[in-house]
Amino acid sequence: GVAPANAANPNISPKRIPFDRSHSSGTVFIFNQGTGPGTFDISLVDRVMLPNGRIISVEEAQADHETKAVADRVKSAQSLLQISPRRVTLNPGQGQTIRLRVGAGPADQAPAEYRSHLTIATLPPRDTGTTAEAAAAQTAASGLSINITALFGLSVPTIVRLNDLDVRASLENPRLTFEALGGTPKAPGPKVPVLTLDLVRLGGSSLFGSLDVRVQGQKGAPIGIVHGLGVYPEIERRTVQVVLTRPPAPGEKLEVTFTDDDNSPGKLLAKLAL
């Protein structure tokens, strides 16, 4: 949707915040790129990654018996992280540095990878709110009261590793199909080649990287690429779909690679030929 006039619109960088034994503090920068002032709440929310790649709140996942087992495996970093400040008010074009620090945590904290998601929520301006009494009076006078305020939120993973780094991956179960993307049920879009495969986490640490699909022996741009792919510790594998720019020609072989964008940027983690 389109942000309403004079609306605050936050941006945050970086988009991923990792900590380990040698890096126990860090910062993120919040910037109001909207056209109006805004007040932003900064909090930690536990979220879970599902095998289809969706990320939802742990609370939502625990309410569904099909996803509860995955949600129960999430190790929250909330008890380990300290954040300051927790609320900021920014004019258009103004920014604020948010400081994060890993505290001691409970004495019996197990060596593991912990994660919560730093979440920036835009609070509604004070003059758009209404009290219950005012709403009741307005409803009585007009018969109907509707008050809508657009809220914008951002969420970035904040990872605390209290264990040794163990990043290993594999690519499995590739299959090439032609799918109709876009359009409507009555007028579906044209069918395009889609490579579907499983990105598998073999080590104890989460994965975060890029997937490239190239024609073996050919230089130049890949015919398919997906950036920012993660597999968190609560799942062993996730299904990934890569839309290809063209179908492979008869006799062509494809090479799929997954490279690290986290701890060792550019390092090859997995390769598959088909």
Side-chain angles (χ1 to χ4, degrees), residues 29-109:
F29 188 72
I30 301 175
F31 181 76
N32 182 5
Q33 59 187 5
T35 55
T39 298
F40 307 101
D41 252 1
I42 299 103
S43 62
L44 288 169
V45 177
D46 292 334
R47 303 186 188 276
V48 58
M49 174 174 279
L50 303 179
N52 61 6
R54 283 186 64 217
I55 295 179
I56 62 175
S57 71
V58 165
E59 188 179 22
E60 181 183 349
Q62 286 178 332
D64 187 332
H65 71 279
E66 291 186 3
T67 55
K68 185 180 186 304
V70 181
D72 288 345
R73 295 179 63 184
V74 173
K75 290 181 169 60
S76 172
Q78 290 201 37
S79 64
L80 296 169
L81 287 166
Q82 299 167 2
I83 303 173
S84 178
R86 289 276 187 161
R87 177 175 291 184
V88 296
T89 299
L90 300 175
N91 289 318
Q94 189 178 17
Q96 170 75 45
T97 297
I98 308 298
R99 303 188 184 281
L100 298 93
R101 190 170 72 85
V102 179
D108 60 348
Q109 198 84 44

Side-chain angles (χ1 to χ4, degrees), residues 212-236:
D212 279 33
V213 183
R214 297 178 181 271
V215 176
Q216 212 169 54
Q218 288 188 10
K219 295 181 179 179
I223 63 170
I225 188 167
V226 182
H227 291 296
L229 279 176
V231 182
Y232 292 135
E234 60 266 26
I235 57 174
E236 279 77 33

